[in-house]
Amino acid sequence: MEMAEMTGVSLKRGCFAVEDNDSAAPAEETKKQKVSESCLIQGQDGLDSDCVPSRENEAVPPEAVGTGEGKKNSDATLEEEEEDGLSEEGEEEEEAESFADMMKHGLTELDVGITKFVSSHEGFSGILKERYSDFVVHEIGKDGKISHLDDLSVPVDEEDPSEEVFTVLTAEEKQQLEELQLFKNKETSVAIEVIEDTKEKRTIIHQAIKSLFPGLETKTEDREGRKYIVAYHAAGRKALAKVRTAADPRKHSWPKSRGSYCHFVLYKENKDTMDAINVLSKYLRVKPNIFSYMGTKDKRAITVQEIAVLKISAQRLAHLNKCLMNFKLGNFSYQKNPLKLGELQGNHFTVVLRNITGTDDQVQEAMNSLKEIGFINYYGMQRFGTTAVPTYQVGRAILQNSWTEVMDLILKPRSGAEKGYLVKCREEWAKTKDPAAALRKLPVKRCVEGQLLRGLSKYGMKNIVSAFGIIPRNNRLMYIHSYQSYVWNNMVSKRIEDYGLKPVPGDLVLKGATATYIEEEDVNSWSIHDVVMPLPGFDVIYPKHKICEAYREMLTADNLDIDNMRHKIRDYSLSGAYRKIVIRPQNVSWEVVAYDDPKIPLFNTDVDDLEGKPPPVFASEGKYRALKMDFSLPPSTYATMAIREVLKMDTSIKNQTQLNTTWLR
């Protein structure tokens, strides 16, 4: 087994904005840290006149979305960049050049300690995510089975209302009922005339209002010889608040014999998990915190995962398939329990690298190495942000108790790719140091900058700690976990530099949940795949060789005491964790295919199979060649780092953009 340095490769490469396998805290990180990813609501796709979304629910931190018992290490940036379409063809090159110029201020792998490879094969070029459908993620459940969407049928339940409940109300009636439900008008009731007056029709209208608008009750009234269904609040706002919490939703209408949670498989395209749940909650008119899941999946991919929701019928969920684009729900079942963050075993990836330059022999050597040896389990570039101020710098300032620096790092003007309103907000802040004035420049107040400015407006400039505390806990912890990841990457590179890819006395391995040292006489009992390295904290031990001193020196240089990682603010005390240094993917397979049209899909998705589409047929010769690869990874490992090992390339956006400024097209 050989170890190689990373060298500069000046080949044309594609965009590398890649999802990592960040779905849950890793099994080997025995000192897990609770943090999850926050996201903003994007617009809904595919509105249908019969499917009117609620306007009430907003994105919530996932610590409220999960069951509260799972724990997760989030590997996402704090704020996901939206992809803005380039409207004028003539502007594309100028936009790409401008973006490339801005990304000169971004991070490279070298900046975050990613410097080594495990294999010695020659790298080659390939374009990842030329289409988001070139990156497919299937969740691996706690039973070890890979989740697939392969059944759209609804479990038969005699207690379910008729399908007509979804169509009996007009869009205008739904609007009036929603405004009544949310106390958005002065009316105390809404009356709906029963045009075809039969008992069956009245029953369907009663069922439709009660199931689609939790908190409303109904009664039938005669008015001047006509029948009306009157919707009203049974007991005012308190009843609505109670009925819309996770503890007590719609309990009057749920069959006792049925499990309280409807589990289903969610297939989604180009949306992250929290975005998807926010969209589903809007259409179902419920709070997002009644959904639970085992791990988050990122945006720019097709992903398939299991979701559970409290007391929403499979019938109602299946109806969303008629309303939403880029989503499919299926494989419904009723269960007694929700899902918990971290319960999954990992994710299975299907990835296409298009327009590869490697020979068949190069590809074979690279993929055999990935299968047999694996890759260094670095935290990927997504962990550290995309702008000129890396998230680990903010994390370091928090740990140093340097709160003025924390504020400045988050709010000061920065070089790099950012939305225009953020640039204006930062400029206003630099000019006036007036949080209210800077906040007025932000149309979206839920971003980290907006939350901090709101906190500063509320608590004043002399109480930055409380102001910073307004930011959701998961986002605040993401900064310090980014710093831990930065230290870990650097220390692992140094460990491999000094000792290579074999266990040595003084290395750490896990026995159950406990880290122990490899002794001289036991060194042949272990492999490099067993060796773990600590993320710094007060509840971990460090290797018994010179890497221990390297940890100490790095933290001392950052004005931190490795022997005292407890913070006076409890949230920011780091207990630490252990992480394997080399990961060997499972279920690795690959093939090289030829194609002529860069727009054609090179494999079928679950939805393609459901629709009966035949799999693509490839010619023996073609204008381009693509590498299609399949592999499974445990939680909290980065697919980008596996692909980096195959291509032998820097995966940072900065490097990709400088090598190929046209990738935005």
Side-chain angles (χ1 to χ4, degrees):
M1 191 186 304
E2 297 185 46
M3 177 268 295
E5 285 277 357
M6 185 174 76
T7 55
V9 184
S10 57
L11 294 171
K12 178 179 177 181
R13 304 274 161 69
C15 166
F16 231 96
V18 192
E19 283 68 24
D20 57 85
N21 191 20
D22 68 337
S23 14
E28 72 270 14
E29 291 188 12
T30 56
K31 308 292 186 184
K32 297 177 184 177
Q33 301 157 27
K34 188 171 184 179
V35 61
S36 54
E37 179 180 346
S38 179
C39 71
L40 307 179
I41 297 177
Q42 313 286 335
Q44 295 92 262
D45 297 323
L47 298 187
D48 183 293
S49 61
D50 290 328
C51 305
V52 183
S54 163
R55 291 161 184 79
E56 180 204 26
N57 300 321
E58 296 183 352
V60 296
E63 53 198 0
V65 176
T67 63
E69 298 175 46
K71 297 187 180 182
K72 172 179 181 289
N73 280 339
S74 172
D75 299 328
T77 52
L78 289 179
E79 196 176 349
E80 185 178 272
E81 293 289 335
E82 287 185 21
E83 295 156 356
D84 298 318
L86 301 177
S87 55
E88 297 294 334
E89 194 172 325
E91 293 176 4
E92 285 183 359
E93 191 163 336
E94 181 183 344
E95 289 282 353
E97 293 290 352
S98 170
F99 185 84
D101 186 58
M102 288 191 288
M103 285 314 300
K104 289 175 184 174
H105 305 281
L107 293 171
T108 64
E109 289 185 347
L110 184 64
D111 295 326
V112 295
I114 301 173
T115 60
K116 304 293 181 185
F117 293 100
V118 301
S119 60
S120 56
H121 72 268
E122 184 183 347
F124 55 90
S125 176
I127 301 177
L128 178 64
K129 292 204 175 180
E130 186 168 333
R131 301 162 58 86
Y132 69 79
S133 55
D134 286 347
F135 199 95
V136 177
V137 186
H138 288 265
E139 189 172 72
I140 303 172
K142 57 184 175 182
D143 57 1
K145 292 181 180 177
I146 297 175
S147 291
H148 282 280
L149 182 76
D150 52 21
D151 182 4
L152 299 182
S153 65
V154 176
V156 177
D157 193 326
E158 293 180 1
E159 298 196 57
D160 276 334
S162 158
E163 276 288 315
E164 282 187 76
V165 299
F166 300 109
T167 57
V168 70
L169 299 172
T170 66
E172 183 181 357
E173 287 166 345
K174 287 179 181 178
Q175 176 75 28
Q176 291 173 342
L177 288 164
E178 183 185 336
E179 289 176 355
L180 174 68
Q181 180 198 33
L182 303 178
F183 295 95
K184 288 189 175 179
N185 59 25
K186 295 179 180 178
E187 303 298 324
T188 56
S189 64
V190 169
I192 295 170
E193 185 178 358
V194 185
I195 304 298
E196 303 165 17
D197 182 22
T198 63
K199 184 176 180 181
E200 290 75 17
K201 185 65 177 282
R202 293 197 302 271
T203 299
I204 289 169
I205 296 175
H206 283 294
Q207 289 175 335
I209 294 171
K210 288 180 180 179
S211 61
L212 297 179
F213 300 91
L216 297 184
E217 294 294 338
T218 57
K219 60 185 177 182
T220 304
E221 285 187 2
D222 277 309
R223 296 182 181 179
E224 299 177 356
R226 296 180 180 181
K227 283 277 197 306
Y228 288 84
I229 306 296
V230 178
Y232 61 97
H233 281 288
R237 292 176 186 268
K238 287 185 180 178
L240 175 66
K242 184 180 180 187
V243 91
R244 291 175 69 88
T245 63
D248 188 20
R250 302 159 300 283
K251 69 177 184 180
H252 61 280
S253 61
W254 195 257
K256 291 180 180 178
S257 60
R258 181 196 284 171
S260 293
Y261 294 87
C262 184
H263 287 229
F264 61 96
V265 170
L266 172 66
Y267 168 103
K268 62 182 179 64
E269 298 181 359
N270 208 27
K271 245 183 210 319
D272 68 32
T273 300
M274 272 306 301
D275 261 345
I277 283 175
N278 277 307
V279 171
L280 296 180
S281 65
K282 280 176 176 288
Y283 278 82
L284 294 167
R285 297 178 176 83
V286 295
K287 292 288 188 186
N289 65 352
I290 70 170
F291 290 87
S292 59
Y293 48 83
M294 294 183 287
T296 61
K297 305 289 180 282
D298 288 328
K299 178 177 179 180
R300 190 162 169 75
I302 291 173
T303 70
V304 181
Q305 70 182 114
E306 189 175 352
I307 305 284
V309 62
L310 178 62
K311 293 186 179 178
I312 298 288
S313 69
Q315 184 187 34
R316 284 188 68 190
L317 292 166
H319 183 70
L320 296 178
N321 287 332
K322 302 173 184 177
C323 310
L324 298 172
M325 293 173 60
N326 302 327
F327 289 91
K328 264 306 189 243
L329 287 66
N331 297 78
F332 302 103
S333 66
Y334 293 108
Q335 310 283 342
K336 291 181 180 178
N337 299 309
L339 295 169
K340 296 177 184 177
L341 281 168
E343 282 185 327
L344 77 174
Q345 287 194 16
N347 291 295
H348 185 78
F349 295 85
T350 303
V351 178
V352 169
L353 302 174
R354 291 182 183 251
N355 198 17
I356 59 169
T357 61
T359 64
D360 287 349
D361 286 344
Q362 279 179 289
V363 171
Q364 187 80 2
E365 186 182 358
M367 293 305 299
N368 274 328
S369 173
L370 183 69
K371 182 176 182 178
E372 294 165 13
I373 304 172
F375 61 97
I376 302 170
N377 193 22
Y378 287 123
Y379 287 98
M381 298 304 297
Q382 305 96 306
R383 186 78 158 180
F384 306 104
T386 57
T387 64
V389 178
T391 52
Y392 73 80
Q393 289 184 5
V394 180
R396 179 169 55 202
I398 293 169
L399 294 172
Q400 292 169 342
N401 235 12
S402 302
W403 291 102
T404 301
E405 184 181 358
V406 171
M407 177 180 69
D408 287 342
L409 285 169
I410 294 173
L411 296 177
K412 71 180 182 182
R414 58 180 70 174
S415 304
E418 285 202 308
K419 293 181 173 61
Y421 59 76
L422 266 177
V423 174
K424 290 175 182 174
C425 168
R426 296 188 192 286
E427 288 171 349
E428 182 67 31
W429 172 255
K431 185 171 66 178
T432 66
K433 286 291 188 290
D434 180 346
L439 192 60
R440 284 194 289 271
K441 300 290 183 182
L442 287 179
V444 178
K445 305 290 194 287
R446 290 187 303 275
C447 60
V448 168
E449 292 82 1
Q451 289 162 336
L452 178 55
L453 288 167
R454 192 157 50 85
L456 291 168
S457 297
K458 180 175 181 179
Y459 294 107
M461 299 284 284
K462 292 184 178 179
N463 194 353
I464 300 171
V465 174
S466 296
F468 183 72
I470 277 189
I471 297 171
R473 181 176 183 270
N474 50 299
N475 278 17
R476 288 181 278 125
L477 295 186
M478 197 181 301
Y479 286 120
I480 57 175
H481 290 164
S482 175
Y483 177 73
Q484 282 181 301
S485 306
Y486 168 71
V487 172
W488 193 90
N489 278 0
N490 278 278
M491 292 299 97
V492 167
S493 291
K494 183 158 182 57
R495 157 66 182 76
I496 292 172
E497 168 78 29
D498 289 352
Y499 297 108
L501 290 164
K502 62 183 187 302
V504 297
D507 273 337
L508 291 167
V509 291
L510 292 179
K511 289 184 178 178
T514 305
T516 60
Y517 295 108
I518 296 180
E519 303 296 343
E520 184 80 50
E521 60 271 19
D522 299 328
V523 75
N524 293 326
S525 303
W526 303 97
S527 81
I528 194 65
H529 300 97
D530 299 312
V531 177
V532 298
M533 294 268 284
L535 287 93
F538 60 78
D539 200 19
V540 294
I541 58 175
Y542 294 88
K544 266 187 185 172
H545 43 55
K546 58 185 178 182
I547 300 305
C548 178
E549 190 55 35
Y551 271 95
R552 185 175 297 278
E553 288 172 2
M554 186 170 184
L555 268 68
T556 300
D558 287 339
N559 294 315
L560 295 171
D561 181 359
I562 197 171
D563 299 316
N564 182 18
M565 298 301 290
R566 293 188 187 273
H567 197 281
K568 65 180 185 180
I569 299 170
R570 186 177 175 183
D571 263 359
Y572 310 136
S573 289
L574 295 178
S575 62
Y578 299 102
R579 180 177 175 89
K580 287 187 175 180
I581 68 173
V582 174
I583 292 290
R584 184 162 43 201
Q586 302 298 304
N587 308 312
V588 179
S589 64
W590 67 92
E591 63 176 324
V592 176
V593 298
Y595 65 102
D596 291 314
D597 183 355
K599 294 181 180 178
I600 63 164
L602 299 182
F603 59 88
N604 271 10
T605 65
D606 285 0
V607 168
D608 293 333
D609 291 338
L610 275 170
E611 293 174 351
K613 289 184 181 177
V617 178
F618 304 108
S620 55
E621 297 288 330
K623 193 185 299 184
Y624 311 106
R625 291 160 66 245
L627 169 59
K628 176 178 173 284
M629 51 200 293
D630 280 84
F631 54 90
S632 299
L633 294 177
S636 194
T637 52
Y638 285 70
T640 27
M641 295 295 101
I643 295 161
R644 167 188 181 269
E645 185 68 42
V646 171
L647 294 180
K648 287 286 185 73
M649 60 179 288
D650 183 330
T651 59
S652 65
I653 296 178
K654 176 178 179 177
N655 186 61
Q656 296 306 307
T657 311
Q658 289 174 346
L659 292 173
N660 179 13
T661 59
T662 60
W663 68 263
L664 277 178
R665 299 181 188 180

